[in-house]
Amino acid sequence: MLIYDGLHYDALAISPFEGAPEEFDQTIFPVQKDLALKLVKEQQRKKTYTDTANFTLCYGVCQIGVIGQKAIAATVASDTVKHSEAFIGKSNQDYCSWIQDPEKWG
């Protein structure tokens, strides 16, 4: 199952106990639509969204680590040849604006 928070998708995982190492998480289990819907609604109610200003991202094109959407926008803006319209599907400037829009990027 995948959970979509309005920005990106994550695998739904269940830990066997609080604080269990991540390798103990279970991501394959019988489909229980009500469970996933309940979880999503609870997370939306709590407003637990991805912190795009401070998350750490490994930028696949350059293979570098950056923190936050401003840093990734600066990385894209710094090389308009590598990050051309042909590659990213819109102008470099438009793409950088899109990355920094918390309602759209993900």
Side-chain angles (χ1 to χ4, degrees), residues 2 7 16 20 24-25 29 32-34 51-52 56 68-69 71 73 77 80-81 86 88 93 96 101-102 106:
L2 292 177
L7 182 63
F24 292 151
D25 288 356
F29 39 87
Q32 298 175 1
K33 256 174 59 176
D34 294 340
D51 180 359
T52 59
T56 301
Q69 63 198 110
T80 59
V81 173
I88 56 181
Q93 184 177 3
C96 291
D101 184 338

Side-chain angles (χ1 to χ4, degrees), residues 3 25 43 55 67-68 72:
I3 302 297
D25 288 356
Q43 297 308 306
F55 72 149
I67 297 176
I72 193 68

Side-chain angles (χ1 to χ4, degrees), residues 54-96:
N54 297 301
F55 72 149
T56 301
L57 174 73
C58 177
Y59 183 49
V61 174
C62 298
Q63 294 298 310
I64 59 170
V66 294
I67 297 176
Q69 63 198 110
K70 285 184 181 180
I72 193 68
T75 301
V76 170
S78 72
D79 189 341
T80 59
V81 173
K82 185 182 284 182
H83 304 102
S84 66
E85 186 168 350
F87 180 72
I88 56 181
K90 55 180 80 180
S91 76
N92 187 281
Q93 184 177 3
D94 286 348
Y95 190 75
C96 291

Side-chain angles (χ1 to χ4, degrees), residues 10-49:
D10 280 312
L12 177 62
I14 297 175
S15 294
F17 55 90
E18 190 169 336
E22 193 173 308
E23 60 266 16
F24 292 151
D25 288 356
Q26 182 179 355
T27 57
I28 300 173
F29 39 87
V31 174
Q32 298 175 1
K33 256 174 59 176
D34 294 340
L35 171 67
L37 188 57
K38 181 180 176 183
L39 176 64
V40 169
K41 288 185 180 203
E42 178 67 15
Q43 297 308 306
Q44 288 173 340
R45 185 186 66 74
K46 291 180 178 179
K47 299 193 183 302
T48 52
Y49 300 103

